[in-house]
Amino acid sequence: MSPNQKKYLNKKKKEKILVIFFQISIIVFLIGIWEFLATKGYINEFIFSKPSNILKTIINLYKNFNLINHIFTTLYEVIIAFVLGIFLGFLIALLLYSFKLLAKIIEPFLTMLNSLPKVALGPIIIIWVGANLKSIIVMALLINLIISIITIYNGFIQTDKNKIKLLESFNANKLDIIKKLVIPNSLVTIISSLKLNISMSLIGVIMGEFLVSKSGIGYLIIYGTQIFNLNIVMSGVIILIIISYILYKIISIIENKLLK
Amino acid sequence: MNKLLEIRNLSKSYNTLDGEIKAIDNINLDVYEGDFIAIVGTSGCGKSSLLNILAGLDNNFEGIYKFKKDITFSYMLQTDCLFNWLNIFDNCKIGLDIKKDKDPKKIDKINELLKIYNLEEFKNKKPSSLSGGMKQRVALIRTLATNPDILLLDEPFSALDYQTRLAISNDVYKMIKKEKKTVIMVTHDISEAISLANKIIVLSKRPCTVKNIYEVKLTGATNPIENRKAKEFSTYYETIWKDLDVNVT
Ligand SMILES: Nc1ncnc2c1ncn2[C@@H]1O[C@H](COP(=O)(O)OP(=O)(O)O)[C@@H](O)[C@H]1O
Ligand SMILES: [Mg+2]
């Protein structure tokens, strides 16, 4: 390795360490100042909670209130919604791509549904589907499905016209073109829609849990609010942040593997 | 001579919401076995439209198009159109895959061509590891792999830099002569047309009509690069240039 290359790599490494150092510092600083302000009474501990109490609450939730169960409930719902969303999104996008006229007819409805705040449908879903797990999944699907359909469909229609022409010159039929060209060509788009989809699924599931549910992180947060225990609410939020970050990272890793 | 294609009074219009666009106006054309025909015309005059009709990809035209029974075509386009998720070998084989043709002779042929073009070591690599010129060579192999009767080349070299372009057009020429293929090539490069083709069809501006047909005869013709030095070259060039009537304003 040339000295210049070494120097360059060293510089990059130092930069990375610096970034991580500051990221950790920011977290420590924020937690510290929060703890300090609450302990000294500058902010109301009852309303704002404080880091040490949150930690105690999480441990207590873990020991006495089946925290792991709540986490798994939420994860389970997210995974179902995620898989269904990708699967149905792919199928519907394929259907729309195969029948252009259908796509044209459906398009304004999709846009309408997409721009509608889905929470507004919450009460209707509960009445139609019932106050159970199904409602939560339906809620999450409402949120992740439309956007999946739109993203994947857009991937499909961006297929290079010349490549289609090339296959047609080999007498390819529509199915050949979809199988050999359109789908593999859109794989990058489909895979990058996974990230968006996982975030949407989590949003949907938490919304669903706010509306109906007897367990899950969303349930914990609502429960905390109802008994006005801000420690539980904050614990729920913190756990949610961690879950969403981990899910996002997992999808990123899968994405990188698949795109290799 | 064996006539492969015959076009009589061919016209083509596109219907769009903004109105009807006439792309081709009353063209007559005969293609014989072994011909290397270059079609030159300004950009947008209707060259690709004509090739699409010849390839049978567009049946929406007026006039008569007769072709020899069971004749097969293969396209080579301006962009290499390689599938970046397939390796080089599978890219070459895509036409055979679609036609469900498992003829081992054709597979051998692909391997042989890969060897000739020094692409053998890239056989299992993805197209992204190749240079522009190499990609276009792969596209040529893909075009030849199905053993078509007629090659349709739609500005096949125009995305390449000048040096690569000369080298590749030389390859294409050699390969096509060796395989005794019939070629219809569209180009807007006059020199390319003169150096490669034995017949040049000059089209007018849109809607295109046949303005002139030239039988190219160069003294000491050997290969496209040498052909450019033939004494008739500049005369052809000037005549065709005048035919095209390119107004640079
Ligand atoms: N599918 C289409 N729909 C409408 N107009 C088209 C279509 N394809 C080509 N045209 C028009 O027909 C004319 C000729 O196009 P083309 O055959 O691609 O020209 P060239 O290949 O000579 O550059 C152009 O004016 C182009 O805009
Ligand atoms: Mg063209």
Side-chain angles (χ1 to χ4, degrees), chain B residues 47-48 154-155:
Chain B
K47 304 181 293 294
S48 298
D154 194 349
E155 314 208 22

Side-chain angles (χ1 to χ4, degrees), chain B residues 14-16 21-24 41-50 52 154-155 186 203 206:
Chain B
Y14 290 104
N15 299 103
T16 72
I21 301 171
K22 187 151 200 170
I24 301 174
T42 48
S43 136
C45 76
K47 304 181 293 294
S48 298
S49 306
L50 181 58
N52 284 342
D154 194 349
E155 314 208 22
V186 157
L203 298 179
R206 188 172 63 91

Side-chain angles (χ1 to χ4, degrees), chain B residues 75-115:
Chain B
Y75 241 111
M76 185 165 166
L77 297 153
Q78 179 176 350
T79 50
D80 53 64
C81 287
L82 295 180
F83 295 179
N84 54 21
W85 56 92
L86 295 180
N87 65 26
I88 300 303
F89 183 71
D90 289 338
N91 262 294
C92 294
K93 212 163 60 83
I94 187 85
L96 297 178
D97 284 346
I98 293 213
K99 289 171 182 264
K100 300 203 171 54
D101 185 341
K102 294 205 170 65
D103 185 355
K105 268 194 218 130
K106 291 188 177 137
I107 302 287
D108 290 346
K109 174 83 167 292
I110 293 177
N111 283 317
E112 184 197 320
L113 290 173
L114 284 171
K115 202 178 274 172

Side-chain angles (χ1 to χ4, degrees), chain B:
Chain B
M1 283 240 264
N2 194 355
K3 195 191 268 188
L4 299 183
L5 308 180
E6 179 180 313
I7 279 177
R8 290 292 172 264
N9 305 322
L10 180 94
S11 295
K12 160 85 195 171
S13 295
Y14 290 104
N15 299 103
T16 72
L17 288 178
D18 299 327
E20 197 161 40
I21 301 171
K22 187 151 200 170
I24 301 174
D25 187 19
N26 205 15
I27 282 190
N28 295 299
L29 177 68
D30 292 315
V31 178
Y32 295 92
E33 198 172 344
D35 263 346
F36 195 129
I37 295 179
I39 299 177
V40 292
T42 48
S43 136
C45 76
K47 304 181 293 294
S48 298
S49 306
L50 181 58
L51 275 197
N52 284 342
I53 292 172
L54 292 177
L57 299 182
D58 182 359
N59 296 314
N60 188 7
F61 57 83
E62 287 158 53
I64 296 166
Y65 176 24
K66 281 196 251 176
F67 45 87
K68 223 182 120 187
K69 209 169 144 257
D70 296 331
I71 210 159
T72 54
F73 296 93
S74 199
Y75 241 111
M76 185 165 166
L77 297 153
Q78 179 176 350
T79 50
D80 53 64
C81 287
L82 295 180
F83 295 179
N84 54 21
W85 56 92
L86 295 180
N87 65 26
I88 300 303
F89 183 71
D90 289 338
N91 262 294
C92 294
K93 212 163 60 83
I94 187 85
L96 297 178
D97 284 346
I98 293 213
K99 289 171 182 264
K100 300 203 171 54
D101 185 341
K102 294 205 170 65
D103 185 355
K105 268 194 218 130
K106 291 188 177 137
I107 302 287
D108 290 346
K109 174 83 167 292
I110 293 177
N111 283 317
E112 184 197 320
L113 290 173
L114 284 171
K115 202 178 274 172
I116 291 175
Y117 290 133
N118 300 320
L119 287 163
E120 210 181 16
E121 55 178 307
F122 296 99
K123 214 175 132 176
N124 299 314
K125 297 251 166 65
K126 296 280 159 67
S128 53
S129 54
L130 301 187
S131 70
M134 290 158 104
K135 284 184 196 164
Q136 209 57 347
R137 284 195 178 99
V138 176
L140 174 66
I141 297 174
R142 176 185 60 198
T143 312
L144 292 169
T146 51
N147 198 20
D149 300 306
I150 299 187
L151 294 179
L152 302 170
L153 312 182
D154 194 349
E155 314 208 22
F157 318 118
S158 56
L160 303 172
D161 63 84
Y162 187 69
Q163 298 294 332
T164 319
R165 191 157 155 181
L166 284 187
I168 306 271
S169 58
N170 223 23
D171 287 349
V172 169
Y173 184 84
K174 271 197 296 197
M175 191 50 63
I176 284 163
K177 286 292 154 193
K178 193 174 143 229
E179 309 260 328
K180 300 195 175 51
K181 294 288 179 207
T182 307
V183 182
I184 306 173
M185 177 181 78
V186 157
T187 177
H188 57 244
D189 183 332
I190 303 172
S191 313
E192 201 167 271
I194 304 169
S195 65
L196 285 163
N198 68 318
K199 196 190 256 180
I200 297 178
I201 295 166
V202 185
L203 298 179
S204 68
K205 284 180 193 146
R206 188 172 63 91
C208 62
T209 55
V210 176
K211 200 155 187 181
N212 258 317
I213 298 182
Y214 298 96
E215 301 273 345
V216 182
K217 292 207 172 62
L218 303 174
T219 24
T222 46
N223 65 53
I225 293 177
E226 290 302 313
N227 287 356
R228 288 173 189 251
K229 296 173 191 152
K231 62 177 194 290
E232 299 89 348
F233 192 90
S234 59
T235 323
Y236 280 121
Y237 192 98
E238 272 158 39
T239 325
I240 295 173
W241 171 260
K242 277 193 197 114
D243 281 347
L244 284 179
D245 188 26
V246 189
N247 289 316
V248 186
T249 46

Side-chain angles (χ1 to χ4, degrees), chain A residues 11 40 43 60 80 114 161 180 193 233 236 256-257:
Chain A
K11 199 180 140 205
K40 290 281 169 192
I43 56 174
N60 186 31
I80 292 182
N114 193 34
K161 298 268 182 319
K180 300 237 174 276
S193 79
V233 177
N256 285 336
K257 279 258 155 60

